Amino acid sequence: MAVLARVAKRQGVNQATLADLVGVEPITICRMVDRLEALGLVERRPDPNDRRARLIHMTEAARP
């Protein structure tokens, strides 16, 4: 759950930055975020500054 903890601290983080924060490769973080998204704990939203990028946010279901 290190990924979820990092997203909680940095709402709206992109996957590349999240991979650096967690210390894993970008493809690995993509799979981790896919799993968390399937569980409804995070969601990817479009980046208003870069139409190619998605930002990761926690959902209400992930909050204590």
Side-chain angles (χ1 to χ4, degrees):
M1 287 298 167
V3 175
L4 195 54
R6 296 292 181 172
V7 173
K9 289 182 180 180
R10 297 199 47 187
Q11 288 287 324
V13 66
N14 67 35
Q15 283 187 186
T17 302
L18 184 58
D20 287 341
L21 292 171
V22 177
V24 298
E25 295 295 320
I27 190 65
T28 304
I29 204 69
C30 182
R31 291 179 188 137
M32 292 174 168
V33 172
D34 285 345
R35 286 186 207 117
L36 291 171
E37 192 172 35
L39 293 170
L41 300 176
V42 299
E43 63 184 4
R44 291 177 172 109
R45 298 179 191 164
D47 183 342
N49 300 317
D50 183 353
R51 64 185 176 102
R52 299 166 298 161
R54 301 274 179 208
L55 303 178
I56 302 164
H57 294 267
M58 271 180 49
T59 64
E60 288 300 317
R63 299 188 193 282

